[in-house]
Every structure is written in C-alpha cells, then in structure tokens.
Amino acid sequence: MSYTRQYSERIYGTEYVTVHHPASESSSSETISVDWSEDVDIEVFVDTSSFDDGVSTIKHHIDGLTGAVVATEAAQIEEKIRGTNAISQSVTTGFFGLIRSEITQQMAALKSRVDSLFLKMNDMEAACKRIQQNMEQDYHRITDRYTATFEELDRELEMRLAALDRASYAVKRDVATQSRRSFDSTLSTVPTVFGGETSHAQSLLAAGSMRSRMNDLLQCAIAYLVSEKRTSEAVSTMLVSGGREDAAVSSLPVAYLAASDTAATSMARIFLPPAPGFLGDDAETKRDILAQFRERSLPWKPLAGEDRAQIERFLIPLIDTIHTASQDRDARVRRMILNLWSAHTPQTLPL
C-alpha cells in the first residue's frame, strides 16, 4: 500500500562573500562572512502499487502452489493406499495361489499313488482269486480222492468186521431168540430156566471179545510192519551202493530249457538243484547231461494236468512276490509270466 512521510529540518551554514567598493577612493574590496539558516520541509510519497501487485501475484502463486501441494499430497496418499491395496491383493493372491498349487501337487501325487495302489490291489485280487480257484480245485480233487478211499475202506472194514464177528452176530441172534422165547410163547406155565444155554452164551461172548482184541493187536502189528517195510524201501531207494566208479547210472532232478527264434538261433540251458559232490560242480557232467537232452529220440510227453496244477500252487505265490521299484513293471512282468505259462505246456521224460 502506498504511503506518505513528511520530514522538517533546519539547515544553516556560513558563506564568504567578496564585496567591492567602487565608489570609494581606493576602490577596494573585502571578504565578509554571512551566516545563514533555512527551514526545510520535505514530503516523501512512497508508491508501493507495483510491489503490492507483485505481492498479490506471489500470493496467487503461493495459493496455487499450496493447492498443488495439497492435491499432490492427497494424490500421493491415494496412490499409497492404492499401492498398499495392490500389494495386499498380490500377497493374498500369491499366498492362496501357492497354497492352491501345493494342494494341487499333493492331490496329483496322492492320486498317482492311489491309482498305483488300486492297480496293485487289482493284481493282488486277481492273484488271490487264482489262488482261491486253485485251492478249490485242489480241495475238490483231494476231497473226491479221499472220499472214495474212505468209502472203500468203510465198506472193506464193514465186510471184514462182519466176517470176523460172524460168530458174535450168530450168538447175538441166538441169545435174542432164546430171551424172547419165554415171552413169545403162549404157554405161561412152562418154566424158563436156561442155565446151560446162558453159560454157553457167556463163553461165546468171552471168546468173541478175546478174538476182537486179538484182531486189534494183529491190525496194529500189520500196520507197524507195513510202515517198517515202506521206510526200508524209501531208504533203499535213496541210498546208492558203491562209489562213482561202481555206479552205472546216477539220477538227479534237472530242468532243461530250450528256445529258438526266427533268426535260426537257439539256446539251451539246464538247471540243477544244489547237490553235493561231482553232481553239482563237475562241468563235464553238465555237458553230458545237456548232450543227452539234445537227443532227438527222447520220448518227451506233455506235463500231466495234475502235475501242472501242483506246480501252479508254488509258481503263482512266487510270481506274486515279484516286487521292484516300478509297480507298472511288476504288473507287466507278472502278466507276461502268466501268459507264457498259460500258452506253453512243459514236457517231461517218463521214468
């Protein structure tokens, strides 16, 4: 805003003036001093319109700057809030995505394991069904064989008992007849005293009891002698008289395997069980056995159905025990072995 200032001041001083006297006789001059003073009034007008315009302009700019700062701060706060929300959303989404991925991976691993376990259980179920069928067949076969044997033994035993106790049966019939005679007779006054007949019947009963006990003793002796005979024969078949130089023929269980393909190449091997002495360690003996199996004139015969069933009783449990790191490979190997066993019939040499 413009304003006015007034100042009042007295100024003074001394002036030296030369004065000439032309009218005098000597026409001289002299210097005189004159003291003077003056009151001075000064009025100063300060024009501040341009400054005020500048201040107003600056104020307008400052207000604009203040608004800009406030708007910037609000925008920054809003941006921080937006960024915080975005970060929170990203963290939440990432966390749940990670958890979902982990759960998906675990579910995939568990599904694969469950599928493999289902396959293994299916294989085990099939194996159990095969074992059950084999056991049922073996049970029915053994039951039929032993049932027929026991029925035949029962009939034979009944006939032998009837033959051995024929006298006892006759005595029983006579005693029953005599005991009923007194009651069957219509003559009630006839005396029924049979002392002689009673003593004779008791003698026959004692003799029959003695014969029955002797028969049991003889049966036990016969069974003992039969078992001794069988044991002696089994021991004699297992023993080999003399040494290698004296024996002409030595028997040993041997499995012979021969295979060929379309390329006209063949393969032959023998499998020997553990045996002591030269039978298990002599390479020349193995070559001789292999050469004997290669003879064309050998009377090979297909394996009997009963023998094949007995082999399956031991083969199928061995197949089920095949376990490696890969369950799919185990199932494939078991299936291939069973297919080969079903498609081919082993052959044997008659004794």
Side-chain angles (χ1 to χ4, degrees):
M1 179 179 291
S2 301
Y3 60 91
T4 303
R5 293 290 185 268
Q6 293 181 355
Y7 299 96
S8 297
E9 190 69 32
R10 179 182 291 274
I11 61 174
Y12 54 87
T14 302
E15 290 291 336
Y16 294 96
V17 180
T18 302
V19 179
H20 296 281
H21 299 284
S24 66
E25 295 179 354
S26 56
S27 112
S28 61
S29 62
E30 62 177 343
T31 299
I32 63 175
S33 62
V34 178
D35 295 326
W36 61 272
S37 64
E38 184 69 30
D39 294 328
V40 178
D41 295 326
I42 301 174
E43 182 176 350
V44 178
F45 176 74
V46 179
D47 187 6
T48 60
S49 58
S50 60
F51 178 75
D52 293 337
D53 294 338
V55 171
S56 178
T57 302
I58 291 174
K59 182 177 179 299
H60 178 70
H61 289 303
I62 290 174
D63 292 338
L65 178 61
T66 302
V69 170
V70 172
T72 302
E73 184 178 3
Q76 184 179 7
I77 293 173
E78 184 179 358
E79 185 64 26
K80 287 183 178 179
I81 294 173
R82 189 183 300 107
T84 303
N85 293 332
I87 292 172
S88 301
Q89 184 67 28
S90 299
V91 171
T92 304
T93 304
F95 175 74
F96 282 106
L98 177 62
I99 297 300
R100 188 181 299 106
S101 176
E102 291 291 335
I103 293 175
T104 304
Q105 292 179 1
Q106 292 180 4
M107 289 178 63
L110 292 176
K111 185 178 183 301
S112 176
R113 183 178 179 186
V114 168
D115 293 340
S116 62
L117 289 177
F118 270 121
L119 292 175
K120 184 177 180 181
M121 290 176 65
N122 291 332
D123 294 338
M124 295 175 67
E125 180 184 5
C128 291
K129 288 182 178 179
R130 289 194 300 270
I131 294 173
Q132 183 181 5
Q133 293 175 357
N134 294 330
M135 291 178 66
E136 289 178 354
Q137 294 176 1
D138 295 341
Y139 174 77
H140 291 306
R141 184 170 58 254
I142 295 172
T143 301
D144 296 339
R145 184 169 66 247
Y146 281 102
T147 300
T149 302
F150 285 131
E151 290 178 353
E152 184 67 24
L153 289 176
D154 290 339
R155 288 193 295 269
E156 184 69 20
L157 182 61
E158 184 179 0
M159 294 175 60
R160 291 189 180 186
L161 288 176
L164 290 174
D165 297 337
R166 185 179 296 109
S168 299
Y169 292 150
V171 170
K172 179 179 180 298
R173 288 193 298 270
D174 293 339
V175 170
T177 303
Q178 295 298 330
S179 64
R180 288 195 304 271
R181 188 176 64 178
S182 60
F183 298 101
D184 294 338
S185 177
T186 57
L187 301 175
S188 60
T189 59
V190 177
T192 58
V193 178
F194 306 101
E197 295 178 357
T198 302
S199 62
H200 180 67
Q202 290 178 351
S203 300
L204 291 177
L205 290 173
S209 176
M210 183 66 69
R211 291 180 61 184
S212 177
R213 293 180 181 178
M214 290 299 297
N215 183 39
D216 294 338
L217 180 60
L218 290 175
Q219 292 295 329
C220 292
I222 290 172
Y224 174 74
L225 293 176
V226 169
S227 63
E228 286 291 329
K229 179 65 175 176
R230 290 177 178 175
T231 304
S232 300
E233 291 178 354
V235 172
S236 63
T237 56
M238 290 186 292
L239 296 178
V240 177
S241 60
R244 181 180 178 182
E245 294 79 6
D246 301 331
V249 178
S250 297
S251 298
L252 180 68
V254 178
Y256 173 68
L257 173 64
S260 62
D261 55 12
T262 57
T265 60
S266 60
M267 180 272 293
R269 293 180 61 186
I270 60 172
F271 299 92
L272 300 175
F278 70 93
L279 293 178
D281 300 331
D282 193 357
E284 183 178 356
T285 302
K286 293 182 179 179
R287 287 194 297 270
D288 295 340
I289 294 173
L290 188 60
Q292 292 180 7
F293 276 114
R294 289 175 176 172
E295 292 291 334
R296 300 294 182 181
S297 60
L298 292 177
W300 292 98
K301 293 184 178 181
L303 187 65
E306 183 177 357
D307 296 337
R308 184 183 179 90
Q310 291 181 356
I311 293 175
E312 287 181 353
R313 292 176 55 189
F314 298 95
L315 177 62
I316 293 177
L318 289 176
I319 295 174
D320 293 334
T321 57
I322 298 175
H323 293 291
T324 60
S326 176
Q327 297 179 355
D328 296 336
R329 181 178 179 274
D330 295 345
R332 187 169 62 254
V333 170
R334 296 193 193 102
R335 194 179 306 109
M336 181 58 68
I337 294 175
L338 292 175
N339 292 336
L340 291 175
W341 174 254
S342 301
H344 299 81
T345 301
Q347 295 183 350
T348 59
L349 290 175
L351 297 176

